[in-house]
Amino acid sequence: MTGSTRTTAHRHHQQTGRDTMPTTTASRGATLSAADLAALRKHVVHTADGKLATTSVTKPRTVEEFATTADDVRRIVATDLAAFVEQQAKKAPKGDVPPPVPVLIWAHGGLTDKSAGLLTAHHQVAWWKKNGVYPIHLVWESGLMTTLADVISGKATGKRGFTDITDRAVEAAARVLGGRKFWDDMKLDSAAACLPAMKDGTRGGADVLAGALREYMAANQGAIDIHVAGHSAGSIYHSHFVPRLFDGADAIDHVASVTFLAPAVRLDTFEATLLPLAESGKIHDVAIFTMDETHEKRDNTAGVYRKSLLYLVSRAFEAERGAKILGLDEHLRSAGRTMAYLGDDPGRLVKGPISKGRLSSTQATSHGDFDNDVETMMSLARRVVGVPDSDEPDGVADFPMRAREVALEGGSSRMPRPEPTGVRGAVPRKLALCIGIDKYPKDPLGGCVADADAWGAALEAARFDVEYIRDGDATRDEILRAMLDKISSARDGDVVAIQFAGHGTFVPDLDGDETDAFGASDEALCPVDFRGGELIVDDDLGAIWDAIPDGVSATLFFDSCHSGTVNRGLTRSEFDAKRYPVGATPRMTVLDGDEEEAFRSKRAAALGDEFRRAAWDRVVAVETDRAAEAPAPRGDQREVLVSACQPDQVALETNGHGVFTTAALAVLAKSPGLTNSEFVAAVFDIIDDDYEQRPLLSAAGSLGSRVLLTSLHDAVDQQKVIVEPDGQRSPADVRTAAIVAILRATADLLESGSP
């Protein structure tokens, strides 16, 4: 209801539905017996953080007990694989040289946990062996991320859900609520698994496998052929693994095939690692199965994102928004070097859904379908076995139904689709969020909650529906979710106002897009939990403002030391040296070394020891586009930001309120109908010269000339006084006068305590 006050009560949507998950996950209730787990020890290489276990249980009874050591890996190749090769050789006609036995190295997707990875192996191993193929499954722990549905719906205890969501809002949520860190951790784990031995002997688990395969093939020329396949992020894993097969004095001479299903690897990584091997003939054939652009944009990820997961990877998880991904049709089409190799022929590039022969068919219509789709997996099997693309019977065993159940039985939470509210012609809604934090543990303030209450009263009087977040409730997660909730629930014609009063600071810039007097720094707002690394940097805010829907007017009032510009213009020493009028307190603070490190650990992949740092160096080295190009500046700025101070100034509070808030609400009450530029100029004029603080307007294009807090569909003069021909005031004028009276009363109350 307009004018009502909502507290920070969480609004959850828990409508349960059935949907295809992003990648293969364990079905509900599925379990593996001790006998199942014992059998998998011949076919699974399991790593955690890229490393093998130091001890393993010969007869594991639970998934948790299942582990792989370096000795286990060598046993898989030298004993288990060797026994299978010997069995297959006995099937060859007497006197004939047995053909090479296909060995398939499989890597699952990045959102698959240990249990699901083992279950997939369990369901596929017998099928591969029935087709004369020896499978080795790489099961890697990548720090399983809470499903996207949980992030958006707020199912985790104490987390806010969203009243509605759009794809741009999902991208913003994924980026600012942990998606980027998860993806970096996952890439780091895949690279770490493939690292050669360090000085201390530490070695990646998959590198042990590569070494064992090289040794076996050197001693058993022509006995096996290696085929590599991976789904989704499994392509990232193999981009590090396959090159290890060609390293060292015992390097193999070729890999028979590499097949990726909906690959999530970056194009630049693929072109730096695998494509040169394919171009030189060391990899005999590379094939990609993915969806065409139409079906990628019809896909649905976890019921909340209305595109393929690969778009979310590109726009939210990677370092730069819009990173080129190998599995995205629209990115592939513009990849000259890759397309020169693949061609536009279904022989190497299978864009589905399509049925074109026994080797190049897929009916997958969702990112998570590929490793469960019968035609896709049968096409892969025929390629591995070496079946010709003809109409003759091929004898390849049918892909088992139970393998597909791994994904299809999994449930997911489904968010409601946007309601058709706020469309053009409807009465615009006015939505507001007011945030005030006084109770910081180390550096409390005294006027921020009062500011939030005063702004809220003024906005309620202007018929805004206002929500408040105060003090202990104002954590980073809650603030970002509330901001995104306001933005994502707005529709064409609506007006959104977001106010923040609290500390501002600066933090190390982790993505290389900023430099200033401190070195590389980002501006940041300080939630109540900021000392533990939970800060809101300008990059976070930019991701949220980029999600502002078309036709929505969004205005931000920040009464803190956050100027909204690229850089602060104030050094630490200048801040420490500043002197303020008696009774004035700065709304700015500085992090110490431990707090900066806490911030880094919250944002960046956990590097830890030398092994992890070496793995991260490998990740960055093969992301050549990321290394060569600075992050692109934000375009199409949609928000109006009114900041309390200039980049080289400090926001102050005195007499129980922020200096900016006191002046701003006074102007708002006495001079309604000002444009954004006029409003800021008026506030600038009335702030006492004793306070070296002047507000700053950030508004792109024509936004500065828009009337403050009005719908983008309103005429510029809509909120000015309207006089009827007979001299009587119109109903709109009467409403305006009533609102002005309330605002003036609020301003008088604020000014009564001013010096």
Side-chain angles (χ1 to χ4, degrees), residues 41 52-58 65-70 72:
R41 282 173 44 80
L52 295 165
T54 54
T55 60
S56 67
V57 178
T58 305
E65 286 184 354
F66 190 97
T68 308
T69 65
D72 291 332

Side-chain angles (χ1 to χ4, degrees), residues 668 671-675 678 706-708 710 716-717 719-720 736:
L668 192 65
S671 304
L674 296 178
T675 66
E678 292 169 343
R706 298 285 314 171
V707 174
L708 182 71
T710 58
V716 173
D717 62 350
Q719 292 208 352
K720 295 186 183 296
T736 299

